Amino acid sequence: MAARGSRWNRFSVLRALREVAHYGVVALFAFFAAFPFLWMLITTFKQTRDLLNRGNNPFLYNEPATIENLRVLFFETQFAQWMWNTAFVGLLVVVITLALALPAGYSLARLTGRWGESLGIGIFLTYLVPPTLLFIPLSRVVANLGLQDSLWSLVLVYPSITVPFSTWLLMGFFKAIPRDLEEAAMIDGLSRFGAFVKIIVPISIAGILTVVIFTFTLVMQEFVYALTFITSSADFTISVGVPTFLVRGDVYFWGSLMAACFIASVPIAILYNLFVDRFIAGFTVGAVK
Amino acid sequence: MATVETIGIRKHFGDVVALDGVDLESKEGEFLVLLGPSGCGKTTLLRIIAGLEQPSAGDVMIGRLVVNHLPPRARHIAMVFQSYALYPHKSVFGNIAFPLKAQGMPKAERAKKVEWAATMFGIERLLGRKPRELSGGERQRVALARAMVREPNVFLLDEPLSNLDAKLRTSARNELLQFQRSVGTTTIYVTHDQVEAMGMGDRIAVMHQGKLRQLGTPQEIYDEPNDTFVAGFLGSPSMNLVEREDVIVGFRPETFLPRALSTAPRNASVRFQVRLLRVESLGSDRLLYGVLRGPSGEQQVIAKLSSTVPLPVHPGETEEFVIATRDLRFFDRDTGLRTQARSFSL
Ligand SMILES: Nc1ncnc2c1ncn2[C@@H]1O[C@H](COP(=O)(O)OP(=O)(O)O)[C@@H](O)[C@H]1O
Ligand SMILES: [Mg+2]
């Protein structure tokens, strides 16, 4: 009896330990992912004096919380305008990217033989050329088109980064879809284009969402082009406007900077979390068998 | 309803000749089986008929009209793919309704048709499920229902049973046949399985290396093969082919009997001395493997006997085996084509 009891105990202890380890690891990763947000949120409402005093605990409000930083951000800079600019450019670039990358990726996926393969690789290679190398020639292009100092220059230039990568990514998704599916749809009464829209696109929704988020994130954080092509502050995007106005010489407006980062990154984080199941499903579930 | 006709269809993929001039004509409402080994061009021919592939040369006619220039959707055909190709993001209902929706059929009418097709294949209770929640047999029925729901003129099936296990395959075969008989739609059915072809086809078209070798009823194909390929492809075990002078002599294992069991009169039969190697029991039948000595060395032959008759011969012994003359088939040694009956030296 005693032996059995102790053996049973040992098992339950082991199991409990496993649970603890399991949740411990998950908690660690969750904390790691959420920590920057927490830090930004805390800092947003701190007084500058509190922030700069090294003796203070950085996680606590040692002085009363304040919304001064938010006031500076919204009323002493053009933050709202920059948000709008970013959303405007982001949306347009997403639309352009999808309009080009969807048909291109599909064609490459269905183009058999040597050509499809090497074209796909070639397109991906163009993605690897860094903006720091391209911004000088591209600024000539932008100037010739009369787009200096206009958001449209960004709308034009960003797809040169997003389209190759998205084409390549979508090509992978489309390749994983058996041709039988679209052929069945064509026999069932659709044109090839109809089959693409009604069958291929819905099945690739995870890939399309990935493209949307990739593109939007890129527009939010791209710096080199945004800085080179735009000079008037009313046309800045967040990534240029925020550091330009909230870092003056060696004075950092930490509270407002953190507020800006938090406000800009939360929508993306929420969007991503809403669709995370679809991403995972899209990457793992086979279509036919 | 319509017939399907192909005239001189050729198709090459680069250097690979997949179809080398195929002339085929189906009859109204028949169940036509395309039979041949893997890689002989069956799928390619079916895809050309469906319009998914363009022929390099030749015409496809459906209902006496040339349809070469028509896209698949305009040919009023339905096709079941080997993989079933169910739309993974749609429910079973959505899958079956899909062709109707593409036609622009109103919603209420659509629901009724889907109901009808689902009942026909006994899958009413699955309508709410997604394809990934179905078993292989259920998927196959959904694919059939989706193909049949809009009552096509021609029904094309590419090895639709090959993904099912053996037991399910037999019952699915019967259901499919019964169904085809009841709707009477002209059907072209691709398979590499000769048992399936013999059992299901009104007629069988035997293909080999991109060519149509023979078109006929199962009995014709079995009894009167056009060439050595057809002779060797059908039957299990297949026809014995024995070389004598400049002809190949063929005879089916079940017509090849030990003398003690043969009723053929001496003047209407041929006799061979066969050294029996081994006997294999298949339950209902026994296969006798032997060698036959000829002018050009030894040749393997197989005889098939019912298990119900006692075995008059034993492995290791040399025995006389008899074939009735009318059961002999002759083929040209060079071309493999059927030739006139003639005498030959043993
Ligand atoms: N899209 C294609 N590209 C190149 N070769 C092909 C293609 N489709 C079929 N083939 C070739 O054509 C021949 C016939 O193929 P198929 O019609 O699929 O044969 P089956 O269905 O009888 O097994 C094969 O040699 C195959 O390799
Ligand atoms: Mg095939």
Side-chain angles (χ1 to χ4, degrees), chain A residues 81-237:
Chain A
Q81 177 69 39
W82 301 335
M83 287 267 282
W84 163 249
N85 291 345
T86 308
F88 173 79
V89 174
L91 219 66
L92 280 174
V93 174
V94 165
V95 169
I96 293 174
T97 303
L98 284 180
L100 294 177
L102 276 172
Y106 179 68
S107 319
L108 283 173
R110 290 303 184 239
L111 192 67
T112 49
R114 221 154 23 90
W115 277 106
E117 192 91 347
S118 14
L119 266 176
I121 293 172
I123 288 178
F124 184 72
L125 283 181
T126 66
Y127 168 71
L128 300 179
V129 183
T132 37
L133 215 95
L134 283 178
F135 79 95
I136 297 172
L138 275 178
S139 66
R140 284 294 294 276
V141 174
V142 166
N144 288 345
L145 292 173
L147 293 178
Q148 323 84 305
D149 212 9
S150 153
L151 283 176
W152 291 102
S153 62
L154 300 183
V155 173
L156 181 76
V157 168
Y158 284 158
S160 73
I161 308 172
T162 58
V163 169
F165 178 78
S166 306
T167 301
W168 185 79
L169 183 113
L170 288 173
M171 183 176 79
F173 265 83
F174 294 149
K175 269 192 178 159
I177 300 176
R179 279 165 196 254
D180 286 3
L181 285 183
E182 67 218 58
E183 290 178 343
M186 283 163 72
I187 287 179
D188 283 347
L190 297 185
S191 61
R192 181 170 279 277
F193 182 73
F196 175 68
V197 172
K198 293 236 171 86
I199 302 294
I200 304 297
V201 167
I203 294 176
S204 320
I205 198 73
I208 293 171
L209 285 172
T210 311
V211 165
V212 169
I213 289 183
F214 164 79
T215 303
F216 210 86
T217 318
L218 181 116
V219 170
M220 290 192 75
Q221 51 103 49
E222 203 284 331
F223 190 74
V224 175
Y225 291 149
L227 183 69
T228 334
F229 301 150
I230 309 278
T231 38
S232 54
S233 62
D235 284 336
F236 279 168
T237 52

Side-chain angles (χ1 to χ4, degrees), chain B residues 13 16-18 36-45 53 158-159 190:
Chain B
F13 298 101
V16 181
V17 178
S38 190
C40 72
K42 307 178 296 289
T43 297
T44 307
L45 184 60
E53 207 89 64
D158 190 358
E159 315 214 12
V190 165

Side-chain angles (χ1 to χ4, degrees), chain B residues 289-302:
Chain B
Y289 292 81
V291 288
L292 177 156
R293 203 185 308 277
S296 53
E298 295 200 324
Q299 279 172 315
Q300 295 267 356
V301 286
I302 301 177

Side-chain angles (χ1 to χ4, degrees), chain B residues 2-133:
Chain B
T3 58
V4 176
E5 196 175 340
T6 70
I7 302 161
I9 295 284
R10 300 174 52 82
K11 176 74 187 177
H12 45 82
F13 298 101
D15 293 335
V16 181
V17 178
L19 293 174
D20 192 6
V22 176
D23 297 288
L24 185 70
E25 191 178 353
S26 80
K27 291 181 187 155
E28 189 77 46
E30 88 173 327
F31 197 105
L32 178 65
V33 175
L34 286 184
L35 173 68
S38 190
C40 72
K42 307 178 296 289
T43 297
T44 307
L45 184 60
L46 206 66
R47 288 169 56 85
I48 287 175
I49 294 172
L52 294 171
E53 207 89 64
Q54 280 299 316
S56 309
D59 291 323
V60 177
M61 293 170 72
I62 297 178
R64 309 245 167 268
L65 288 174
V66 177
V67 295
N68 287 9
H69 57 285
L70 291 181
R73 63 179 183 280
R75 296 188 179 196
H76 300 292
I77 49 164
M79 183 160 165
V80 175
F81 292 76
Q82 192 171 353
S83 64
Y84 306 140
L86 299 180
Y87 309 126
H89 58 303
K90 291 182 181 289
S91 64
V92 168
F93 182 94
N95 265 278
I96 302 176
F98 190 82
L100 304 176
K101 206 167 157 188
Q103 277 176 4
M105 183 182 281
K107 206 168 176 179
E109 203 179 328
R110 233 190 283 160
K112 236 185 274 167
K113 289 285 278 199
V114 171
E115 195 80 7
W116 166 78
T119 313
M120 185 163 290
F121 290 98
I123 48 172
E124 309 93 305
R125 63 195 172 79
L126 304 177
L127 286 175
R129 297 219 202 142
K130 287 278 174 65
R132 64 169 174 278
E133 299 160 348

